Amino acid sequence: MQFICTRCGARAPVTTLRPACECGGLYALQYEGARWDPDKIDRNEWSLFRYRAFMGLEGDAWKSVTMGEGLTPVIRFDDNVSVKMDYFMPTLSFKDRGAAALVAHMAQIGVRKCVQDSSGNAGIAVAAYCARCGIECEIYVPEGTSPNKIAMIEAYGARAVGVPGSRDHCADVCRKKVAQEGVYYANHVFNPFFYEGTKTYVFEILEQLGRIPENLFVELGNGTLFIGVVDALEFLLASGAIDHFPNVVAVQGEHCAPFAKTIESGSEKLVHITPEPTMAEGIAIGEPARADEILAMIRKHGIEVVTAPEEAILPARARLARRGIYAEHTTAAALAAYDRYCEKHGSTPDALLSMCSAGIKSDH
Ligand SMILES: Cc1ncc(COP(=O)(O)O)c(C=O)c1O
Ligand SMILES: [Zn+2]
């Protein structure tokens, strides 16, 4: 198992404390894993680590890190739409998938201290799993982050460092600290181990439904879920576990939609946008660090990027709640985007949406 630079192809051991390659390129994880085989699922393990045969993960440190994350139900929303309840997690969002896998790796290689930047959910998840195995943790949060999210980070014993300005600026400040002080960067976007966790979203769907729904709506900000989903689907296809790639639809918020704008304009590189304030704060990323990788996936699989109208987010959140589902505003954007997709393409049955995060997190 090793890291390989996505820009220059240089290799590095996975024990490296460097956040990225010397050339500035981000690492991907390269390893010889098992092909998909239901008999290799550890059915005695009631967490996402039951899929560890298909994850890049070494050693047993995960046992002291896991809190039973994953294994979230898929339930009916209406005749056409099912939802996967990914806010049924220890820190109430899907980020636990990635954080559990990443912190398991950190514990395995002996990391004692880390920093991370996040608008909230990823920072919360990393703080919780670090608390679990005694890793000191500092989370940089951009101005405007929900007080509920900051309270959770601090409750886990991590230090929340508020940074004025945009979320992109907050990441720059944190990365400067990583470069200057050499502290471990437990970042959900940079660190390839995070995606080993988010891949399990798809493995679970296959195990619980016995198939992959025809239309998967996946929210896309930095792409931690999106990349995990596409990677996992490619892996299942290569293993012969599915016979075609389903219709993946990427969801962005209308007020911050760099991928939608890029595809619309036909530009090869991610176009620069000026984000406007939005209720979908979790996916409001103007300059995602893995933009080139994500654009390559979008083009390879002909993935449509659909935007959630800003004014449709609150009504969508209310509709979810009236079906018993109290979701974060960002999560409601997925339903708003699904509606817009149907306006364009007609009725779309057999659709699955992720209920990424719980409603109490964005109440403020
Ligand atoms: C509620 C919610 N949904 C979706 C996402 C999207 O994840 P990503 O930015 O990795 O694409 C996030 C990220 O923070 C989130 O908090
Ligand atoms: Zn490189």
Side-chain angles (χ1 to χ4, degrees), residues 46-77:
W46 291 93
S47 76
L48 56 78
F49 291 100
R50 73 206 260 109
Y51 305 109
R52 66 188 179 283
F54 319 110
M55 297 161 72
L57 195 72
E58 285 175 332
D60 276 346
W62 62 271
K63 288 182 181 166
S64 60
V65 171
T66 184
M67 291 192 270
E69 55 290 317
L71 308 188
T72 60
V74 171
I75 63 171
R76 184 175 183 276
F77 177 72

Side-chain angles (χ1 to χ4, degrees), residues 13 15 60 155 252:
T15 48
D60 276 346
Q252 297 221 280

Side-chain angles (χ1 to χ4, degrees), residues 18-159:
R18 297 185 60 98
C21 179
E22 267 169 52
C23 80
L26 298 192
Y27 289 133
L29 189 61
Q30 206 182 41
Y31 62 95
E32 281 293 322
R35 283 162 64 88
W36 177 261
D37 174 355
D39 289 340
K40 293 209 170 91
I41 300 171
D42 177 0
R43 292 177 207 273
N44 293 320
E45 174 54 36
W46 291 93
S47 76
L48 56 78
F49 291 100
R50 73 206 260 109
Y51 305 109
R52 66 188 179 283
F54 319 110
M55 297 161 72
L57 195 72
E58 285 175 332
D60 276 346
W62 62 271
K63 288 182 181 166
S64 60
V65 171
T66 184
M67 291 192 270
E69 55 290 317
L71 308 188
T72 60
V74 171
I75 63 171
R76 184 175 183 276
F77 177 72
D78 63 21
D79 286 348
N80 291 336
V81 177
S82 298
V83 291
K84 185 158 169 65
M85 302 300 282
D86 254 28
Y87 68 75
F88 291 9
M89 296 267 191
T91 79
L92 311 180
S93 91
F94 81 100
K95 298 280 187 190
D96 287 20
R97 293 186 185 279
L102 169 57
V103 177
H105 167 70
M106 287 160 57
Q108 186 68 35
I109 65 169
V111 171
R112 301 304 314 150
K113 184 178 176 187
C114 70
V115 294
Q116 149 74 317
D117 54 80
S118 160
S119 73
N121 284 331
I124 290 168
V126 167
Y129 288 87
C130 280
R132 190 127 178 100
C133 56
I135 297 175
E136 198 185 319
C137 181
E138 212 167 74
I139 309 289
Y140 287 67
V141 293
E143 162 182 77
T145 298
S146 317
N148 290 358
K149 290 183 174 175
I150 293 174
M152 278 180 87
I153 289 169
E154 291 178 334
Y156 294 126
R159 201 160 82 89

Side-chain angles (χ1 to χ4, degrees), residues 27 143 150 233 272-273 300 356:
Y27 289 133
E143 162 182 77
I150 293 174
L233 289 170
H272 182 77
I273 57 133
K300 179 175 173 190
C356 282

Side-chain angles (χ1 to χ4, degrees), residues 184-231:
Y184 194 83
Y185 194 33
N187 181 262
H188 53 300
V189 189
F190 273 46
N191 202 302
F193 283 95
F194 202 90
Y195 304 92
E196 294 307 297
T198 56
K199 276 166 28 176
T200 62
Y201 178 77
V202 167
F203 299 158
E204 276 176 30
I205 295 170
L206 183 59
E207 190 188 359
Q208 66 199 142
L209 303 182
R211 66 183 192 95
I212 300 291
E214 216 36 68
N215 302 286
L216 296 181
F217 285 74
V218 181
E219 298 205 317
L220 173 58
N222 271 310
T224 63
L225 183 59
F226 180 85
I227 291 172
V229 164
V230 172
D231 269 354

